[in-house]
């Protein structure tokens, strides 16, 4: 099994245009999503899972359209983790949302031995948590160091030989022209 994590394209919030966090992609974000969609056309994706927030849904839909993938599942468990909870309120975040996310990921990755590719379109912090979970890195450490750029691609592959997840690439934005990075 292969799992591809993608952060959504640039949103109106990322661009500093709006304070609200559930906002659509900017024109630049749409172009970023189109480029990542083109990059993925050579990969046979079995299913797309995405956050329920507008920017992630738009990114997933653009990828889906360019890759002719009809199976998209929208999940609240992949929504953004508010950064204000990452400091002194670790326990609140972990007890509620993290348990839900772990259960969700166990379900998505339960058929690890099968030859299929799953695409997850989510958010910077969510993708960092997912990378840490799959690679068994303590949560307090990975949140600070795993940069996730808009439409950055991280690829995890299940090793049948070693019975663990391998990180093939992280935050790859080589599909973007310089003007969109």
């Amino acid at each position: 099994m292969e799992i591809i994590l993608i952060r959504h394209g640039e949103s109106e919030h990322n661009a500093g245009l709006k304070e609200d966090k559930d906002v659509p992609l900017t024109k630049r974000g749409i172009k970023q999503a189109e480029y990542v969609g083109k990059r993925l056309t050579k990969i046979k994706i079995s299913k797309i899972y995405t956050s329920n927030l507008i920017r992630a849904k738009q990114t997933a839909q653009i990828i889906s359209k360019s890759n002719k993938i009809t199976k998209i599942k929208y999940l609240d468990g992949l929504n953004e983790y508010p950064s204000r909870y990452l400091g002194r309120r670790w326990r609140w975040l972990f007890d509620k949302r993290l348990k839900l996310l772990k259960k969700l990921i166990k379900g998505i990755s339960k058929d690890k031995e099968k030859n299929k590719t799953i695409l997850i379109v989510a958010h910077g912090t969510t993708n960092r948590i997912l990378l840490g979970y799959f690679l068994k890195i303590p949560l307090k450490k990975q949140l600070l160091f795993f940069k996730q750029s808009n439409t950055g691609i991280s690829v995890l592959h299940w090793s049948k030989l070693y019975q663990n997840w391998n990180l093939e690439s992280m935050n790859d934005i080589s599909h973007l022209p310089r003007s969109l990075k």
Side-chain angles (χ1 to χ4, degrees):
M1 173 183 272
E2 183 174 69
I3 294 179
I4 301 172
L5 303 174
I6 295 180
R7 183 180 179 211
H8 59 79
E10 180 187 76
S11 70
E12 291 179 358
H13 177 78
N14 298 141
L17 301 174
K18 293 196 177 170
E19 287 296 317
D20 185 21
K21 301 249 180 176
D22 193 14
V23 293
L25 297 176
T26 60
K27 288 180 184 177
R28 175 185 169 103
I30 291 169
K31 287 184 185 213
Q32 289 171 333
E34 289 169 350
Y35 274 99
V36 77
K38 286 178 194 171
R39 163 92 179 267
L40 298 173
T41 55
K42 295 176 184 170
I43 300 170
K44 186 180 181 211
I45 297 169
S46 305
K47 194 167 193 178
I48 298 176
Y49 294 89
T50 186
S51 155
N52 258 323
L53 300 179
I54 295 167
R55 59 196 183 270
K57 289 198 303 193
Q58 280 184 293
T59 302
Q61 289 163 354
I62 291 167
I63 294 168
S64 170
K65 186 177 179 184
S66 64
N67 291 278
K68 298 178 177 91
I69 302 163
T70 57
K71 297 177 183 177
I72 300 179
K73 189 156 186 170
Y74 304 96
L75 302 167
D76 288 335
L78 293 173
N79 288 355
E80 182 65 274
Y81 282 74
S83 58
R84 68 181 176 271
Y85 294 124
L86 298 180
R88 62 183 183 270
R89 296 189 194 171
W90 283 97
R91 292 288 169 223
W92 177 87
L93 173 68
F94 294 162
D95 289 347
K96 294 184 179 188
R97 298 256 337 263
L98 196 57
K99 285 180 184 177
L100 173 65
L101 185 60
K102 282 182 179 181
K103 183 178 178 183
L104 173 78
I105 292 306
K106 282 181 183 178
I108 289 172
S109 64
K110 69 180 175 190
D111 297 326
K112 298 185 264 278
E113 303 294 330
K114 289 189 177 176
N115 187 22
K116 65 180 179 179
T117 300
I118 300 296
L119 177 66
I120 298 174
V121 180
H123 308 275
T125 303
T126 307
N127 285 353
R128 286 184 255 177
I129 292 169
L130 293 174
L131 284 166
Y133 174 78
F134 284 117
L135 299 174
K136 298 184 183 196
I137 299 171
L139 198 52
K140 289 180 183 177
K141 293 186 181 189
Q142 95 256 4
L143 284 175
L144 301 175
F145 302 110
F146 290 170
K147 179 177 170 56
Q148 297 292 294
S149 301
N150 292 116
T151 68
I153 301 170
S154 298
V155 180
L156 294 145
H157 180 79
W158 177 253
S159 169
K160 291 179 184 177
L161 177 63
Y162 296 107
Q163 295 293 299
N164 66 1
W165 290 97
N166 295 315
L167 183 64
E168 290 185 7
S169 67
M170 185 169 73
N171 196 40
D172 180 357
I173 54 170
S174 63
H175 55 279
L176 296 176
R178 187 178 302 271
S179 63
L180 293 176
K181 291 183 180 181

